[in-house]
């Protein structure tokens, strides 16, 4: 990107902040943007400057009821639309998102703190979900079989009705699209609750849905914290809940939703490992690990947070630290920024405490990013790239998800020891191996207990046609996100058996009272 373009982006960013500094984020209910009558609001602060970007209302019970009612009414009409009509609307949405990428990315930078290139990546990965779901005509197909003479059995996919999405802060565009795009394509209506920390991108997406003509009530966006979650997980009109976020909230949401008879899929915490064998391509492995560990300030559920260095690969730690040291920590719109701020001051302080616990428990701080100085943003929530070496499995820095730009290195002697370490961890979102050996790669692939596996790929997040398949303690539920799994989550099967006899319809026939055997 040229300096002129970066300057223009900076001006847009500052103008956006000025316009929104005293604003209150609206609700989107029944196709209209509404100012909430809430008495409680939560301030959204730019994590690089601490400036107030907007205020988010705790949606009132009346407003939540209106959102669910609007969705319930819209279901009756939306389900009558043909699959080709819905496909067309979603193709229009794809076009609108692509042309609004800069607006979405700037919102993400101002509220979430990502560097601009990563914010654009957030939008682009969501866009890929939109594009893949244009294949809904294939995803929705059932099966048919002639089971006996003149008798057919076939399956149809039907929508659930009103569904809810509860989104985290770390992917302001991608994850809302995971939820509402897949659910709407399958004739459902979605009540979406974006994280109150960074709601802007979701509101832009709601506006785009309205502009391309998605009917009123099909998508509703509400805000808030505990009260909103309780409504979405308890209201009988809502048939299913999709959640991405942390362990504590995820377990609560899953248990409450299922206790109220709802389907629920909940993606929780992670501790993703990269196993590095001594025969790996050193240049590729080190670059990949640095990018995957420190990109997005480590605030990705698929970030590489543990490097398991096998044998002589342990000698690479110094070079790993040198590469990480060269990353530029700065505000998201600054030229050549690599690592932006963490989302909140509380998240920063928690990460710093876990780094200190590593030193206290005997690990070595090869690179300590605490106290990093960013001259232009002295109030920012910045933690520089941090590398902890010689950690042990019992240490707090290994056991807990730090969710910051911190890489924990563990040294082992063999691939078998590495596999035992990875499989002994309670999480199972993803794992990667770096090696030139096909045999070692196949052994790792076959024996590792993680839902998403990378072979010389540091962040093995599958493209939308495959679905997101984290497992173990990283996932609660039995049907995963997007792709065919997502379609299965948002639909229910109806099986029909029909008989159309060849004989004349007027032919008289004695009633059969025996058990039908269907020859």
């Amino acid at each position: 990107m040229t300096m002129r373009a970066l300057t223009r982006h900076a001006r847009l960013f500052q103008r956006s902040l000025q316009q929104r500094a005293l604003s209150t984020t609206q609700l989107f209910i029944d196709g209209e943007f509404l100012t909430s009558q809430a008495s409680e609001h939560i301030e959204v602060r730019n994590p690089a400057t601490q400036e107030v970007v907007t205020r988010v209302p705790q949606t009132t019970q009346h407003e939540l009821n209106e959102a669910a009612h609007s969705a319930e009414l819209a279901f009756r009409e939306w389900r009558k639309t043909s699959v080709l009509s819905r496909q067309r609307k979603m193709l229009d949405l794809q076009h609108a998102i692509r042309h609004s990428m800069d607006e979405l990315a700037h919102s993400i930078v101002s509220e979430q703190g990502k560097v601009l290139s990563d914010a654009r990546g957030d939008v682009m990965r969501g866009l890929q979900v939109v594009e893949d779901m244009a294949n809904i005509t294939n995803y929705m197909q059932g099966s048919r079989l002639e089971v006996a003479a003149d008798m057919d059995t076939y399956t149809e996919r039907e929508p659930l009705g009103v569904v809810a999405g509860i989104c985290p802060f770390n992917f302001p565009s991608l994850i809302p699209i995971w939820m509402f795009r897949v659910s709407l394509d399958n004739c459902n209506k979605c009540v979406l609750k974006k994280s109150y920390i960074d709601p802007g991108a979701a509101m832009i997406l709601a506006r785009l849905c309205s502009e391309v003509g998605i009917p009123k009530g099909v998508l509703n966006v509400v805000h808030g914290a505990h009260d909103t979650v309780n409504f979405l997980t308890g209201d009988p009109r809502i048939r299913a809940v999709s959640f991405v976020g942390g362990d504590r909230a995820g377990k609560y949401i899953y248990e409450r939703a299922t206790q109220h008879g709802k389907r629920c899929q909940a993606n929780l915490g992670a501790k993703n490992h990269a196993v590095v064998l001594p025969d790996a391509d050193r240049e590729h492995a080190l670059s990949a690990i640095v990018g995957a560990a420190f990109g997005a300030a480590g605030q990705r559920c698929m970030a590489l947070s543990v490097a398991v260095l096998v044998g002589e690969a342990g000698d690479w730690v110094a070079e790993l630290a040198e590469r990480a040291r060269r990353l530029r920590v700065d505000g998201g719109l600054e030229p050549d920024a690599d690592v932006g701020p963490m989302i909140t001051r509380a998240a920063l302080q928690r990460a710093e405490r876990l780094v200190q616990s590593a030193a206290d428990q005997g690990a070595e701080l090869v690179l300590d990013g605490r106290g990093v100085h960013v001259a232009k943003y002295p109030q920012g929530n910045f933690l520089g790239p941090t590398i902890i070496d010689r950690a042990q499995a019992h240490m707090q820095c290994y056991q807990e998800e730090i969710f910051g730009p911190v890489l924990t290195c563990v040294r082992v002697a063999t691939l078998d020891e590495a596999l035992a370490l990875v499989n002994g961890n309670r999480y199972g979102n993803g794992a990667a191996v770096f090696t030139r050996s096909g045999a070692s790669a196949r052994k790792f692939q076959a024996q590792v207990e993680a839902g998403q596996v990378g072979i010389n790929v540091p962040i093995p997040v599958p493209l939308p046609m495959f679905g997101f398949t984290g497992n173990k303690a990283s996932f609660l539920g039995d049907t995963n996100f997007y792709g065919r799994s997502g379609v299965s989550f948002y639909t229910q099967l109806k099986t029909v058996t029909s008989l159309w006899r060849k004989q004349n319809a007027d032919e008289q026939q004695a009633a059969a009272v025996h058990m039908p055997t269907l020859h």
Side-chain angles (χ1 to χ4, degrees), residues 83 86 129 132-142 156-160 163 178-179 181-188 240 263 265 464-468 479-493:
V83 67
R86 298 195 306 276
V129 175
D132 177 68
M133 288 308 296
N135 190 34
I136 190 63
T137 49
N138 180 47
Y139 284 153
M140 287 291 286
Q141 290 178 15
E156 299 174 340
R157 288 202 173 273
E158 294 193 332
L160 298 179
V163 301
W178 273 16
M179 296 178 181
R181 175 67 169 94
V182 181
S183 65
L184 267 55
D185 245 352
N186 291 285
C187 267
N188 296 287
R263 288 187 183 182
Q265 54 179 191
M465 62 287 293
F466 290 99
F468 191 93
T479 308
N480 294 100
F481 298 87
Y482 64 77
R484 290 192 182 278
S485 294
V487 172
S488 295
F489 179 76
Y490 288 114
T491 58
Q492 54 194 354
L493 285 175

Side-chain angles (χ1 to χ4, degrees), residues 251-310:
K251 291 174 183 177
Y252 176 83
I253 287 167
Y254 181 81
E255 290 172 3
R256 181 173 167 82
T258 53
Q259 285 168 3
H260 283 84
K262 306 180 192 303
R263 288 187 183 182
C264 188
Q265 54 179 191
N267 206 73
L268 311 183
K271 200 73 174 177
N272 306 306
H273 296 63
V275 174
V276 185
L277 298 182
D279 68 347
D281 180 327
R282 183 169 180 155
E283 176 69 23
H284 170 69
L286 292 175
S287 294
I289 291 169
V290 167
F294 305 118
Q299 297 172 124
R300 296 171 175 152
C301 61
M302 284 294 287
L304 274 184
S305 52
V306 181
V308 185
L309 305 170
V310 180

Side-chain angles (χ1 to χ4, degrees), residues 176-356:
I177 291 174
W178 273 16
M179 296 178 181
F180 81 76
R181 175 67 169 94
V182 181
S183 65
L184 267 55
D185 245 352
N186 291 285
C187 267
N188 296 287
K189 317 298 143 313
C190 185
V191 180
L192 189 75
K193 190 199 90 67
K194 183 63 186 72
S195 169
Y196 54 76
I197 298 176
D198 53 1
M203 300 310 294
I204 295 170
L205 291 168
R207 191 197 75 218
L208 297 178
C209 286
S210 179
E211 289 175 353
V212 302
I214 292 175
K216 293 181 178 182
V218 170
L219 172 66
N220 296 281
V221 183
V222 297
H223 306 295
H226 197 264
D227 289 347
T228 305
V229 167
N230 280 346
F231 178 87
L232 297 177
T233 53
D235 190 274
R237 290 166 290 190
I238 294 172
R239 298 285 307 281
V241 178
S242 181
F243 168 82
V244 177
D247 285 1
R248 183 179 176 185
K251 291 174 183 177
Y252 176 83
I253 287 167
Y254 181 81
E255 290 172 3
R256 181 173 167 82
T258 53
Q259 285 168 3
H260 283 84
K262 306 180 192 303
R263 288 187 183 182
C264 188
Q265 54 179 191
N267 206 73
L268 311 183
K271 200 73 174 177
N272 306 306
H273 296 63
V275 174
V276 185
L277 298 182
D279 68 347
D281 180 327
R282 183 169 180 155
E283 176 69 23
H284 170 69
L286 292 175
S287 294
I289 291 169
V290 167
F294 305 118
Q299 297 172 124
R300 296 171 175 152
C301 61
M302 284 294 287
L304 274 184
S305 52
V306 181
V308 185
L309 305 170
V310 180
E312 295 175 359
D315 298 337
W316 301 1
V317 171
E319 187 175 348
L320 192 65
E322 182 56 36
R323 290 173 184 246
R325 191 177 284 110
R326 293 198 294 264
L327 295 177
R328 179 173 176 176
V329 180
D330 213 334
L333 287 177
E334 298 302 320
D336 303 320
D338 297 308
V339 180
M342 295 185 66
I343 187 67
T344 63
R345 188 58 53 86
L348 170 65
Q349 292 170 347
R350 178 181 178 277
E352 290 176 336
R353 285 197 301 271
L354 287 168
V355 171
Q356 183 59 47

Side-chain angles (χ1 to χ4, degrees), residues 288-504:
I289 291 169
V290 167
F294 305 118
Q299 297 172 124
R300 296 171 175 152
C301 61
M302 284 294 287
L304 274 184
S305 52
V306 181
V308 185
L309 305 170
V310 180
E312 295 175 359
D315 298 337
W316 301 1
V317 171
E319 187 175 348
L320 192 65
E322 182 56 36
R323 290 173 184 246
R325 191 177 284 110
R326 293 198 294 264
L327 295 177
R328 179 173 176 176
V329 180
D330 213 334
L333 287 177
E334 298 302 320
D336 303 320
D338 297 308
V339 180
M342 295 185 66
I343 187 67
T344 63
R345 188 58 53 86
L348 170 65
Q349 292 170 347
R350 178 181 178 277
E352 290 176 336
R353 285 197 301 271
L354 287 168
V355 171
Q356 183 59 47
S357 77
D360 294 343
Q361 291 184 298
E364 179 182 348
L365 295 185
V366 176
L367 182 63
D368 189 347
R370 291 175 295 175
V372 63
H373 178 65
V374 181
K376 192 173 178 179
Y377 303 96
Q379 301 301 315
N381 306 325
F382 292 102
L383 175 62
T386 298
I387 296 179
I388 301 167
D389 191 21
R390 301 185 186 278
Q392 301 293 322
H394 69 275
M395 293 181 179
Q396 194 176 8
C397 65
Y398 177 82
Q399 288 293 325
E400 295 192 28
E401 182 181 28
I402 299 175
F403 220 61
V406 180
L407 178 66
T408 301
C409 297
V410 181
R411 302 190 185 207
V412 299
T414 66
L415 176 57
D416 286 333
E417 285 185 46
L419 281 164
L421 179 73
V422 176
N423 293 344
N425 191 276
R426 66 184 183 277
Y427 293 118
N429 238 13
V433 64
F434 290 89
T435 181
R436 285 191 173 99
S437 166
S440 296
R442 289 186 68 87
K443 178 177 180 175
F444 182 85
Q445 172 189 327
Q447 296 183 19
V448 73
E449 295 172 6
Q452 294 157 132
V453 178
I455 298 174
N456 297 316
V457 174
I459 305 179
V461 178
L463 288 170
M465 62 287 293
F466 290 99
F468 191 93
T469 54
N471 62 26
K472 293 167 66 177
S474 293
F475 182 73
L476 292 174
D478 54 12
T479 308
N480 294 100
F481 298 87
Y482 64 77
R484 290 192 182 278
S485 294
V487 172
S488 295
F489 179 76
Y490 288 114
T491 58
Q492 54 194 354
L493 285 175
K494 176 181 284 185
T495 304
V496 180
T497 300
S498 65
L499 174 65
W500 299 100
R501 297 184 62 81
K502 294 184 179 68
Q503 289 88 336
N504 188 296

